[in-house]
Amino acid sequence: MASRAPVATGRLLIGARKWYYNMCGFNKLGLFRDDTILEDSDVKEALRRLPEKQYNDRMFRLKRSLDLSMKQQILPKDQWTKYEEDANYLTPYLTEVIRERKEREEWMKK
């Protein structure tokens, strides 16, 4: 019985994540989670490193969401970004940029 508890907890946790994901609302505009990251210098550098196709896809999603927001509309439900489809396309680049910045800061201390 104890071996089943983590599975139930895992399902409950995934259910809570999906609920929270849908309550945030960005998926109703067709955005991914990484599209909502506040653009600071690290994020701008990570965006600069994105492949052109991913960058263009991001720009399309952002422009479409701005247009929908101005019209006070949302996408049809079949076009919402699903939790399972959300891709962390920017996170690997951002992690690398932050690691490089910290390494540079450590180097400058010496």
Side-chain angles (χ1 to χ4, degrees):
M1 185 81 170
S3 64
R4 294 183 135 203
V7 174
T9 305
R11 282 191 215 143
L12 183 61
L13 186 60
I14 290 172
R17 285 181 180 169
K18 287 181 180 181
W19 175 83
Y20 181 75
Y21 183 85
N22 286 319
M23 293 304 295
C24 287
F26 59 83
N27 65 320
K28 297 173 184 172
L29 298 172
L31 295 173
F32 290 159
R33 183 179 301 120
D34 282 358
D35 293 334
T36 63
I37 297 174
L38 182 65
E39 288 189 27
D40 61 3
S41 59
D42 291 337
V43 175
K44 287 180 182 177
E45 177 60 25
L47 287 171
R48 191 185 66 72
R49 296 180 183 190
L50 273 178
E52 187 176 359
K53 172 142 179 34
Q54 284 183 332
Y55 181 79
N56 290 338
D57 290 346
R58 173 188 166 88
M59 288 291 103
F60 171 78
R61 288 190 302 273
L62 290 174
K63 288 180 181 182
R64 178 179 59 184
S65 69
L66 286 172
D67 183 52
L68 288 166
S69 183
M70 286 177 39
K71 294 177 182 177
Q72 296 183 352
Q73 297 176 347
I74 60 173
L75 290 171
K77 192 161 186 159
D78 63 327
Q79 293 181 20
W80 291 4
T81 306
K82 294 170 187 59
Y83 177 80
E84 296 80 16
E85 295 171 352
D86 195 336
N88 292 331
Y89 66 92
L90 188 61
T91 305
Y93 297 98
L94 185 57
T95 304
E96 182 68 18
V97 168
I98 292 170
R99 186 192 62 74
E100 289 173 3
R101 178 181 47 81
K102 287 181 179 179
E103 186 178 310
R104 191 168 37 257
E105 289 171 355
E106 285 296 317
W107 180 257
M108 297 304 277
K109 285 182 183 178
K110 294 180 180 181

